[in-house]
Amino acid sequence: MGKKDKKKPSSQILVVKGVLDIARSGMGFVAVEGMEKDIMIKPNDINRAFDGDTVRVQISKDNFKGKRIEGKIVDVAERRQTEFIGNIQLNKNFAFFIPDTKNPIPDFYIDLDKLNGAVDKDRVVVRLIKWDKDNKKPEGEVLSVIKSEDRADSAMKELLIEAGFPLSFDKAVLDEANKLTETVTPEELKKRKDYRDVLTFTIDPVDAKDFDDAISVQRVSDDVYEIGVHIADVSHFVKTGDILDAVAYERATSVYLPDRVNPMLPEKISNELCSLRPNEDKYTFSVVFQINQKAEIKHKWIGRTVIHSDQRFTYEDVQEIIEKKEGLHSKIIIMLNTLAQKFRKERFANGAINFSSTEVRFKLDEKGKPIGVVVKESKEAHQLIEEFMLLANRTVAEYVSKIKVNKQPIPFPYRIHDTPDDEKLKPFMAFAKKFGYTFDIEDEVAVAKSFNKMLKDVQGKPEQHVLEQLGIRTMAKAIYTSQNIGHYGLGFENYCHFTSPIRRYPDVMVHRILQECLDKDIKIDKKMDEKCKHCSDMERKAMECERAGNKYKQVEFMQNYIGEDFDGIISGVAAFGFWVETVEHKCEGLVSTRDLAEYDDFKLDSTDYALVGMRTGKKFRMGDKVRIKVASANIEKRQLDYSWVADEFKSKKPKVKK
């Protein structure tokens, strides 16, 4: 046999895993971690994969010699999404579903008994059932028909679907949830500490339905209180590897849109079984502290409990008690608030960064249309809960961090936050210096203290908004990882998420590992880093989805004000224009340089975060106050366009020769 007839050894073939991006042309590109170049996939080699799927790709080592690596998809490891929005095309014996996506996706075949009431040309949500090797087209089933008047409803569903969050739970999942019972059994009670006779209450937003956390209080001595932080025991009901666990992991987080919650777990679990509702016995996982009046922690205990919430407070209830110093359980609440403020003060002294947060929520009518804006500030009632949750989270992380197996730390989903990136910090410091704020960069703690000093000194000044916003942008993003490098923004060496297992999957993982540690029966999870990355990715997608949902409501709301003038603050600048957030409604829109061309030619000065007029020297700098007119509101693109109201510039307009 001649040399050229010999088959290449299989070692020349590599199979790698990455994420598929399908271009509008139909050509695919797979990004693989650790590879500099994307792998090109010809349309015929995409092999039943959709845009955004995680796929396994076969490539030849010989390919590495060329400019472009080509490959062939051999398997879909994970679907990015299984639900799609589009239109039905009805034939005599079957139907097709034409997905409404930016990137090419084949039409779905829909059996007539899977139409769920849909008729020809209906806009629908369809779930992928299967796509077998022998079938040219994927098969789907209609989940719901979107009515034409439900435009906003359709938009919110599209955001969720595009981000990869299923809109509903399979019947098998709901059936499994419905089998669960909330009865507190004598066998389970033996495994838990009983806190049902101890004063316990929840503090949550007025519209909350899932109560993750409760606080219990009892006096131990004249100077010491026992304060319990009790968290819904989701892992008691959702077992590793079961069908409920699989869907919770897939979603990894609940998504909070302006008019709905897309939950991580079925409502039976999130709003009934696990929600710490008043006057009901509930299973919890708890961290219990003995704390004296100086906010010194004398003793800690971690374990499973059973509680009975005596009272459901809203933040507004508690804030009123703090301010008026009277009301139900006022002495207890004032004592907790005093401790929380001491913890908070100590945290900032130890290097935590005090970025104040204001939350904007839309007031909606019964049809979900925005009719007003509510700006929520973080008051002492919020801080009370925040400080005790932070204390529980860091206590759990600290406990687990000390446990070793074969002299190695155990894989655990820490919540970490890296130090600011020098490349972002240097231009920010130079900009802050223009306003007279200097930074000590001797070490990380010094940088944090400088941030806090600036945030305190800038209060009420014209530059407050711009420096707060830019300061936040210099920070790294918090993520989940088993590499415990601490949480820079909070100033903690050890930190994790333990307090919200109803809405976050990492908290469920934390509960499970914590119980293994308490039982001294630790199972090393070799896939921890993969799970952390998935949870971080889904958290990012949820945040982007929530931002897009808020933007949609902003545009929907500002449609009512086209042609009207408002005061605003410049919230960002780019070469093509500047963004303005209205003071009254906190709705952001773009003033384009094209629209400014009648006044002057504006160029970007990136070091000053400003657009500068080439003839007049007029500056639009981030943080400046401006007057704008609402020019247009494009709800399909979720885009607001503003025009600058330029009274003082009217005399400087260039004269047009007739």
Side-chain angles (χ1 to χ4, degrees):
M1 193 186 280
K3 277 185 185 176
K4 65 181 179 183
D5 295 328
K6 281 187 179 177
K7 283 187 178 178
K8 286 182 184 175
S10 59
S11 61
Q12 296 299 309
I13 301 293
L14 283 178
V15 175
V16 293
K17 194 159 91 168
V19 177
L20 173 66
D21 180 12
I22 300 177
R24 286 188 178 178
S25 63
M27 196 69 82
F29 299 91
V30 175
V32 178
E33 213 170 305
M35 284 180 70
E36 282 182 31
K37 295 178 184 173
D38 290 349
I39 302 165
M40 186 173 82
I41 314 287
K42 289 178 177 170
N44 287 342
D45 294 329
I46 286 175
N47 193 12
R48 302 190 308 284
F50 295 147
D51 183 61
D53 286 352
T54 301
V55 294
R56 290 187 182 88
V57 183
Q58 186 177 290
I59 52 175
S60 165
K61 279 190 178 177
D62 296 343
N63 263 335
F64 284 82
K65 293 168 188 169
K67 285 183 180 177
R68 168 65 72 186
I69 303 170
E70 281 190 38
K72 182 178 182 179
I73 292 172
V74 291
D75 180 34
V76 176
E78 190 184 325
R79 292 273 183 210
R80 184 177 79 96
Q81 67 186 85
T82 53
E83 294 179 11
F84 301 86
I85 284 183
N87 293 85
I88 286 291
Q89 199 174 69
L90 196 60
N91 294 326
K92 191 178 178 185
N93 299 319
F94 58 87
F96 282 124
F97 165 69
I98 295 91
D100 189 1
T101 54
K102 294 171 194 163
N103 305 75
I105 281 183
D107 298 348
F108 286 31
Y109 172 84
I110 310 280
D111 220 299
L112 293 183
D113 63 359
K114 299 255 184 340
L115 278 172
N116 199 8
V119 296
D120 194 36
K121 297 186 174 60
D122 266 357
R123 193 158 174 76
V124 291
V125 180
V126 160
R127 179 192 288 141
L128 171 72
I129 304 173
K130 61 178 180 176
W131 193 0
D132 294 335
K133 282 183 182 179
D134 306 331
N135 295 351
K136 284 185 180 178
K137 290 188 182 292
E139 282 185 48
E141 63 178 344
V142 175
L143 293 180
S144 60
V145 178
I146 298 168
K147 296 179 179 71
S148 56
E149 66 266 23
D150 291 346
R151 190 178 176 188
D153 177 55
S154 168
M156 295 298 130
K157 284 176 176 170
E158 282 183 48
L159 291 176
L160 288 162
I161 284 171
E162 280 169 22
F165 291 97
L167 300 182
S168 57
F169 294 98
D170 288 347
K171 184 178 181 299
V173 175
L174 296 173
D175 288 347
E176 196 62 32
N178 287 328
K179 284 180 197 170
L180 299 170
T181 171
E182 59 189 319
T183 309
V184 173
T185 64
E187 301 81 55
E188 189 60 33
L189 261 178
K190 287 175 191 169
K191 304 174 193 173
R192 297 171 180 265
K193 270 196 181 181
D194 194 340
Y195 275 83
R196 287 178 294 180
D197 291 337
V198 180
L199 173 65
T200 303
F201 48 80
T202 58
I203 306 174
D204 288 281
V206 67
D207 54 355
K209 291 185 180 70
D210 53 342
F211 309 136
D212 274 295
D213 53 88
I215 289 181
S216 71
V217 186
Q218 60 183 331
R219 190 189 281 273
V220 176
S221 67
D222 286 349
D223 187 47
V224 177
Y225 279 93
E226 184 185 81
I227 299 166
V229 177
H230 306 284
I231 307 302
D233 192 356
V234 173
S235 63
H236 171 77
F237 297 100
V238 180
K239 303 295 186 190
T240 306
D242 73 8
I243 191 171
L244 292 166
D245 188 43
V247 294
Y249 174 71
E250 181 193 353
R251 296 168 187 235
T253 179
S254 296
V255 187
Y256 292 84
L257 295 177
D259 61 351
R260 74 197 65 201
V261 177
N262 200 63
M264 180 178 86
L265 287 160
E267 277 192 19
K268 168 84 176 182
I269 295 172
S270 58
N271 291 4
E272 289 181 39
L273 292 175
C274 291
S275 185
L276 308 182
R277 302 187 297 193
N279 308 314
E280 294 179 9
D281 292 352
K282 295 288 178 182
Y283 292 136
T284 42
F285 215 135
S286 307
V287 187
V288 182
F289 304 94
Q290 289 190 0
I291 306 175
N292 69 14
Q293 300 297 305
K294 293 178 186 172
E296 294 167 339
I297 295 163
K298 296 300 182 184
H299 184 261
K300 302 172 201 170
W301 177 86
I302 300 171
R304 281 183 142 131
T305 52
V306 61
I307 66 158
H308 183 97
S309 173
D310 301 291
Q311 183 66 35
R312 179 255 202 270
F313 285 112
T314 66
Y315 284 122
E316 290 76 11
D317 296 335
V318 171
Q319 190 60 35
E320 193 174 329
I321 290 167
I322 290 168
E323 288 171 10
K324 292 186 176 175
K325 298 191 170 24
E326 61 180 37
L328 186 64
H329 305 307
S330 58
K331 283 184 181 175
I332 294 287
I333 283 170
I334 289 159
M335 178 274 296
L336 289 172
N337 187 51
T338 304
L339 290 177
Q341 291 304 317
K342 284 179 180 172
F343 290 143
R344 191 173 170 81
K345 192 177 176 185
E346 184 187 350
R347 210 158 49 79
F348 295 135
N350 291 341
I353 299 173
N354 188 12
F355 283 114
S356 58
S357 62
T358 52
E359 214 181 324
V360 177
R361 284 274 178 265
F362 285 96
K363 273 196 277 190
L364 306 173
D365 67 14
E366 65 281 357
K367 289 185 178 174
K369 278 191 82 69
I371 51 172
V373 174
V374 182
V375 180
K376 293 185 177 179
E377 291 178 69
S378 176
K379 295 188 176 178
E380 286 186 36
H382 298 85
Q383 291 162 11
L384 187 162
I385 287 297
E386 183 185 15
E387 291 305 322
F388 280 101
M389 297 308 125
L390 291 176
L391 181 60
N393 284 336
R394 70 187 288 202
T395 301
V396 167
E398 195 178 310
Y399 167 73
V400 175
S401 72
K402 289 174 182 171
I403 294 170
K404 303 281 188 288
V405 171
N406 299 327
K407 297 182 181 175
Q408 294 294 314
I410 62 173
F412 184 72
Y414 291 99
R415 179 71 169 175
I416 64 112
H417 182 239
D418 210 345
T419 51
D421 182 347
D422 270 1
E423 283 182 28
K424 287 183 178 176
L425 189 58
K426 282 174 184 169
F428 173 73
M429 283 163 41
F431 183 65
K433 200 171 183 180
K434 292 178 181 180
F435 298 96
Y437 304 101
T438 55
F439 274 67
D440 178 355
I441 54 170
E442 185 183 333
D443 58 28
E444 291 160 8
V445 175
V447 171
K449 284 186 175 168
S450 299
F451 256 115
N452 280 339
K453 186 174 187 319
M454 181 204 77
L455 290 166
K456 189 178 175 186
D457 294 347
V458 81
Q459 290 299 312
K461 306 263 180 73
E463 66 271 17
Q464 177 181 347
H465 186 81
V466 61
L467 290 176
E468 282 179 345
Q469 290 303 307
L470 287 173
I472 288 168
R473 290 176 201 178
T474 65
M475 292 288 137
K477 297 279 184 283
I479 58 166
Y480 300 105
T481 171
S482 63
Q483 314 307 311
N484 184 19
I485 62 164
H487 197 295
Y488 179 71
L490 293 171
F492 294 156
E493 279 181 44
N494 304 290
Y495 192 64
C496 70
H497 277 165
F498 163 77
T499 52
S500 293
I502 290 174
R503 62 185 178 89
R504 289 188 306 225
Y505 192 79
D507 304 53
V508 180
M509 292 199 289
V510 164
H511 283 213
R512 288 173 180 157
I513 297 165
L514 189 54
Q515 189 59 50
E516 288 176 10
C517 293
L518 294 168
D519 292 341
K520 297 185 171 53
D521 179 25
I522 296 162
K523 299 169 185 71
I524 299 298
D525 190 343
K526 291 178 181 173
K527 291 190 171 178
M528 181 53 68
D529 280 328
E530 185 187 315
K531 289 176 181 175
C532 286
K533 185 182 182 305
H534 169 74
C535 290
S536 298
D537 289 347
M538 294 309 287
E539 178 190 38
R540 193 190 71 251
K541 286 175 182 175
M543 285 171 70
E544 286 167 2
C545 195
E546 286 162 8
R547 266 199 291 269
N550 282 329
K551 188 70 197 182
Y552 184 93
K553 290 297 174 192
Q554 284 182 16
V555 178
E556 196 180 5
F557 181 68
M558 293 304 274
Q559 278 181 326
N560 303 317
Y561 298 100
I562 287 172
E564 292 191 31
D565 293 3
F566 295 98
D567 287 328
I569 305 272
I570 296 178
S571 53
V573 289
F576 52 82
F578 59 86
W579 287 271
V580 177
E581 188 182 82
T582 58
V583 173
E584 191 178 342
H585 307 116
K586 307 285 182 196
C587 291
E588 192 178 61
L590 180 72
V591 176
S592 166
T593 46
R594 283 200 312 271
D595 296 333
L596 295 170
E598 60 176 309
Y599 305 105
D600 202 346
D601 290 322
F602 286 87
K603 295 284 179 276
L604 178 66
D605 178 354
S606 54
T607 59
D608 203 25
Y609 301 94
L611 280 174
V612 184
M614 304 314 290
R615 294 187 304 279
T616 60
K618 167 70 181 171
K619 264 191 187 184
F620 293 107
R621 186 160 70 173
M622 199 171 157
D624 284 355
K625 284 186 177 174
V626 285
R627 187 83 176 160
I628 57 91
K629 187 188 293 293
V630 182
S632 70
N634 186 326
I635 204 152
E636 301 301 329
K637 292 182 179 176
R638 301 191 293 274
Q639 195 172 298
L640 281 172
D641 287 308
Y642 295 158
S643 56
W644 175 48
V645 177
D647 292 338
E648 78 278 19
F649 244 59
K650 281 178 182 162
S651 59
K652 297 182 185 179
K653 281 188 193 179
K655 288 179 182 175
V656 180
K657 289 181 182 176
K658 290 186 178 177

